């Protein structure tokens, strides 16, 4: 009985370790950078979208939202302010699942960077995103 | 700290920043020796304000690539300023002050009357103080900076003897057959190019730190033109590199961190000069 219990515990622990190792790691992690570098990093991503297409990007900033009256859609973005508080930059995100945060909340978001068309215009966003 | 630095250095935009920053610092230091000796230390400030005004005008006109327009306007103003001699109606320092303040005023006025972005204050702050502009270079910016820096250094080395002669005694070098007027025009063009490039690194208001401090620091200790030029280049590159690395790690604005590093180095060389009994 004891042996069966120990085997079950070991199997569960191995499963937990394997799951932790299989966790997705970001290709570009801006969440660990200071204000100046995180702002510059996201600026470079947004100015050169093809180079980051399909990459997993992790960003920390505050949540903002806007409502489009024409389409009736709500758009959520994570916004960064640079170190001297004079400039802001953000990127849209679409959650894989779950509830969206409140506007003004400090969030860390990780998702796949992609370009998409909305009408005639091309935009960038983090798709299949998760709140960390 | 080493781990943090290696994390940042893995990003291409950080690598570009360091490469371009070092090249700009090198060019500024070479130019700074000539300008300081010819009593044109403030021309860097003046021309950077002209470039700011040209940038605003380019945005109003709607140029997609504003660099050629900014370079052209700055070069013309540099030639006018450096050619104004003893017999001109408006003397050197007054001409610099006049052009400088007019360009800054007109530039800011144009940006407010014809705004091309939703964050004018942010754009002005970044342009004037160079907080993140060196960290947000495009591929074209990097290529242009590398090419112009290489050309500047090569031309300075090639024309070193003529620059040396005209800097110390223009009339004597003219009498010896050197085309001093052409040399002055060449210096003006190089000055304008280096100033426009340096704005990306230090911003329009802090550019003089890049140009003036390394030359003045070197002059505290060294005597010969060659020694001052070489040491000025080493000081400028070291301070720019140190400033950029501190800025990257500590999250401080790049331009002012480099200016602070230049200031500290000047203080060190000033003390060294006193100890060595130079001046």
């Amino acid at each position: 009985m004891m042996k069966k219990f120990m085997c079950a515990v070991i199997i569960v622990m191995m499963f937990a370790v394997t799951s932790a190792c299989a966790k997705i790691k970001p290709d570009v992690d801006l969440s660990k950078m200071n204000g100046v570098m995180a702002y510059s990093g996201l600026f470079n991503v947004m100015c050169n979208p093809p180079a980051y297409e399909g990459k997993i990007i992790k960003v920390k900033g505050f949540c903002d939202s806007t409502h489009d009256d024409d389409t009736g859609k709500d758009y959520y973005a994570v916004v960064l302010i640079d170190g001297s508080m004079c400039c802001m930059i953000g990127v849209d995100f679409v959650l894989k699942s779950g509830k969206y945060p409140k506007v003004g909340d400090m969030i860390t978001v990780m998702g796949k960077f992609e370009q998409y068309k909305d009408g005639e215009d091309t935009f960038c966003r983090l798709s299949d995103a998760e709140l960390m | 700290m080493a781990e943090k630095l290696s994390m940042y250095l893995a990003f291409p935009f950080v690598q570009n920043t360091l490469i371009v920053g070092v090249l700009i610092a090198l060019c500024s230091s070479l130019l700074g020796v000539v300008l300081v000796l010819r009593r044109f230390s403030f021309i860097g400030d003046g021309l950077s304000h002209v470039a700011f005004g040209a940038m605003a005008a380019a945005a109003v006109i709607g140029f997609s690539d504003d660099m050629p327009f900014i370079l052209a306007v700055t070069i013309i103003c540099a030639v006018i300023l450096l050619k104004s001699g003893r017999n001109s109606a408006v003397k050197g320092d007054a001409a610099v002050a006049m052009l400088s303040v007019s360009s800054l005023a007109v530039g800011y006025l144009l940006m407010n009357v014809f705004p091309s972005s939703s964050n004018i204050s942010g754009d002005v702050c970044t342009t004037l103080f160079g907080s993140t502009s060196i960290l947000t270079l495009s591929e074209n910016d990097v290529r242009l900076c590398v090419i112009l820096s290489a050309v500047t250094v090569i031309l300075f080395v090639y024309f070193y003897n003529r620059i040396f002669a005209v800097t110390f005694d223009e009339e004597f070098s003219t009498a010896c057959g050197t085309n001093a007027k052409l040399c002055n025009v060449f210096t003006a063009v190089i000055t304008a190019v280096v100033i426009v490039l340096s704005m990306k690194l230090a911003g329009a208001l802090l550019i003089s730190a890049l140009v003036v401090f390394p030359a003045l620091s070197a002059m505290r200790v060294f005597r010969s033109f060659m020694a001052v030029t070489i040491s000025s280049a080493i000081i400028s590159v070291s301070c720019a590199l140190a400033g950029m690395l501190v800025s990257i790690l500590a999250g401080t604005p790049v331009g002012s961190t480099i200016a602070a590093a230049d200031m500290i180095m000047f203080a060190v060389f000033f003390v060294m000069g006193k100890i060595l009994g130079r001046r």
Side-chain angles (χ1 to χ4, degrees):
Chain A
M1 188 68 186
M2 193 62 190
K3 276 186 187 174
K4 280 183 184 173
F5 178 73
M6 286 306 294
C7 283
V9 167
I10 289 166
I11 289 166
V12 166
M13 279 176 65
M14 280 174 66
F15 182 73
V17 167
T18 312
S19 302
C21 292
K23 228 180 195 176
I24 298 169
K25 278 187 184 166
D27 297 305
V28 179
D29 189 353
L30 303 176
S31 66
K32 291 179 183 169
M33 293 182 173
N34 57 58
V36 167
M37 295 305 291
Y39 172 90
S40 306
L42 189 57
F43 187 98
N44 277 281
V45 169
M46 298 299 278
C47 284
N48 195 11
Y52 294 92
E53 186 81 42
K55 292 202 174 168
I56 306 295
I57 297 180
K58 191 173 173 184
V59 184
K60 183 178 176 182
F62 69 88
C63 179
D64 200 4
S65 168
T66 186
H67 179 78
D68 189 336
D69 289 329
D70 294 336
T71 60
K73 285 186 199 171
D74 286 323
Y75 295 91
Y76 287 83
V78 55
V79 180
L80 280 77
I81 303 178
D82 82 336
S84 48
M85 311 288 265
C86 77
C87 303
M88 293 183 1
I89 192 164
V91 61
D92 287 354
F93 66 91
V94 175
L95 288 180
K96 195 172 12 181
S97 60
K99 209 176 149 187
Y100 281 91
K102 282 186 222 160
V103 171
D105 282 355
M106 188 55 80
I107 58 173
T108 303
V109 168
M110 186 165 78
K112 191 165 73 174
F113 185 79
E114 66 175 19
Q115 295 181 84
Y116 70 98
K117 272 197 171 302
D118 195 344
E120 288 177 8
D121 300 314
T122 305
F123 299 91
C124 300
R125 69 182 172 195
L126 299 177
S127 63
D128 295 332
E130 290 175 44
L131 291 172
M132 314 298 288
Chain B
M1 201 195 290
E3 203 184 299
K4 209 174 170 186
L5 187 60
S6 61
M7 176 195 73
Y8 284 127
L9 289 175
F11 288 93
F13 76 91
V14 176
Q15 294 161 13
N16 289 342
T17 298
L18 293 174
I19 292 166
V20 169
V22 162
L23 287 173
I24 289 172
L26 177 63
C27 296
S28 314
S29 65
L30 296 178
L31 187 69
V33 175
V34 174
L35 292 179
V36 165
L37 288 170
R38 296 185 70 179
R39 304 281 195 269
F40 271 112
S41 302
F42 241 94
I43 204 167
D45 224 43
L47 288 178
S48 67
H49 295 175
V50 168
F52 175 82
M55 199 185 300
V60 169
I61 294 167
F63 287 126
S64 54
D65 184 9
D66 54 8
M67 191 61 103
F69 178 77
I70 296 170
L71 271 172
V73 170
T74 313
I75 286 169
I76 291 166
C77 290
V79 170
I80 292 168
L81 286 174
L82 284 171
K83 278 187 85 165
S84 67
R86 278 172 291 182
N87 299 324
S88 59
V90 181
K91 298 290 181 281
D93 59 342
V96 171
M98 215 171 66
L99 255 179
S100 164
V101 90
S102 310
S103 308
L104 205 56
V106 168
Y108 193 56
L109 195 62
L110 285 174
M111 282 176 100
N112 274 273
V113 173
F114 304 104
S116 56
S117 82
S118 55
N119 184 15
I120 297 166
S121 300
D123 291 344
V124 169
C125 179
T126 306
T127 308
L128 291 180
F129 292 99
S131 49
T132 52
S133 38
I134 192 70
L135 290 161
T136 52
L137 297 170
S138 65
E139 289 291 330
N140 278 341
D141 287 338
V142 176
R143 243 176 262 127
L144 187 67
C145 284
V146 170
I147 292 167
L148 289 176
S149 301
V151 166
T152 302
V153 172
I154 289 166
L155 287 177
F156 188 90
V157 169
Y158 186 75
F159 290 109
Y160 174 80
N161 290 329
R162 269 164 271 202
I163 291 169
F164 171 80
V166 172
T167 300
F168 283 100
D169 196 332
E170 192 174 321
E171 283 156 357
F172 181 73
S173 54
T174 306
C176 290
T178 304
N179 191 339
K181 281 185 184 171
L182 186 65
C183 216
N184 284 335
V185 171
F186 163 77
T187 307
V189 170
I190 294 296
T191 304
V193 167
V194 171
I195 293 300
V196 170
L197 291 181
S198 299
M199 276 178 68
K200 293 269 182 200
L201 183 60
L205 291 183
L206 297 172
I207 239 168
S208 290
L210 278 185
V211 172
V212 165
F213 268 123
L216 289 177
S217 301
M219 284 174 195
R220 295 303 102 197
V221 174
F222 300 102
R223 292 270 171 87
S224 74
F225 187 74
M226 176 72 87
V228 164
T229 306
I230 292 170
S231 57
S232 172
I234 294 169
I235 291 166
S236 183
V237 167
S238 310
C239 289
L241 209 52
M244 284 188 289
L245 290 173
V246 167
S247 169
I248 285 166
L249 288 169
T252 54
V254 180
S256 44
T257 312
I258 293 173
D262 280 321
M263 205 175 67
I264 291 167
M265 194 60 90
F266 175 77
V268 167
F269 271 74
F270 184 84
V271 169
M272 271 171 64
K274 288 283 184 196
I275 292 168
L276 293 169
R278 288 282 188 253
R279 285 170 206 262

